[in-house]
Structure formats: structure tokens, C-alpha cells
Amino acid sequence: MIRLDGTQLLRHAGALADLLTDTVNGGASVGFLAPLDRAEALAWWEERAADVAAGRLAVWAAHEGDRVLGTVSLAFPAKPNSRHRAELVKLMVHRDARGRGIGRGLLTTAERAAAEAGVTLLHLDTETGSPAEQLYRSAGWTAIGAIPDYAASPDGELRPTTIYYKRVPATALTR
């Protein structure tokens, strides 16, 4: 797993776009509708580079050669009263690389980085009933409830979303 800076994110944007299209077109609900074309996915990743460069977003990628097999990000709020928390976003693993521990490795990497940055609370949302829920629960995340019809699945059907949180022990005083 490597943490990408803004320049690296742009360099790997094509591989990240391939991962995003595979994830969405495979039925995972990560904020896009299917079919997601590569140009839209590429533009979305390129737009993230400024947030990465500014420290508002941290992005990690799991690689195999030049191919990106998975990614995860942490979004840091700008408000002064929220700097102790971050949102875990866009945990994705390519369909043909699942079951190899990549998702767990990415999750662990993000949790450790959050702790090292002084973040003590993480939160996320995921489609209720999705395979991701098992990963989060087994990693010690706590479900706090579901919101009905929160987001459309890639096929456009409104689905409930479950909100999770996890406390992490800070290993640094500030970020």
C-alpha cells in the first residue's frame, strides 16, 4: 500500500479510473450509477488531486505492477471543531482481486494513518446488506443505524445505507 500525493494520484489516475469503473459496473455502491464510463471516472479522480495536495484527502493504493487493485481514502473535515475525526471513503477492491486480504489491508492502513495523524474517530457509510459490512464489522467498526432510501445503487434502485464508526487511539497530538 502506498499513500499517493497529488502528483502520484494524477500519474495513477487512469489505473484508479479502471478500478472505479470495475467497482461500479460490478454493482458496488460508491456514489456512481452504472454504466460508469472511464472518462467520467478519470475526471473524478483527477478532480481529487487538489484535495490530496492540500491535505484534505489522503489516498492509498494497493498495486500489482502498474495495476491498481484497490484503494481507500480518508477525508478530513476543515472545521476546527471536527479535526479529531475523518471519514473513510471509497474503499474499493477490483473484482478479480477480492478475497486476497487487500480490502482488510487498505482498511488497516487507513486506520493506522488516522491514528498517527491524531484522528481519534472514524466514520463511514455503506450500502446496507453489502459485502463491505462484514469487513467493517470484523474490523471492529460499530453500526449505529440505517437510513432508508439513502442512495441509489449503481442500477438506480434506492437502497438503505448503514452508518459506522470506530474509535482509534491517537499516536500523535496533531495533524
Side-chain angles (χ1 to χ4, degrees), residues 20-21 24-26 32-38 40-41 153-156:
L20 180 56
T21 57
V24 172
N25 294 336
F32 297 87
L33 297 175
L36 177 64
D37 72 24
R38 190 173 190 278
E40 182 181 353
S153 64
D155 65 5

Side-chain angles (χ1 to χ4, degrees), residues 7-31:
T7 301
Q8 291 169 317
L9 188 141
L10 289 172
R11 186 171 39 238
H12 294 290
L16 289 162
D18 292 340
L19 171 64
L20 180 56
T21 57
D22 174 76
T23 302
V24 172
N25 294 336
S29 181
V30 290

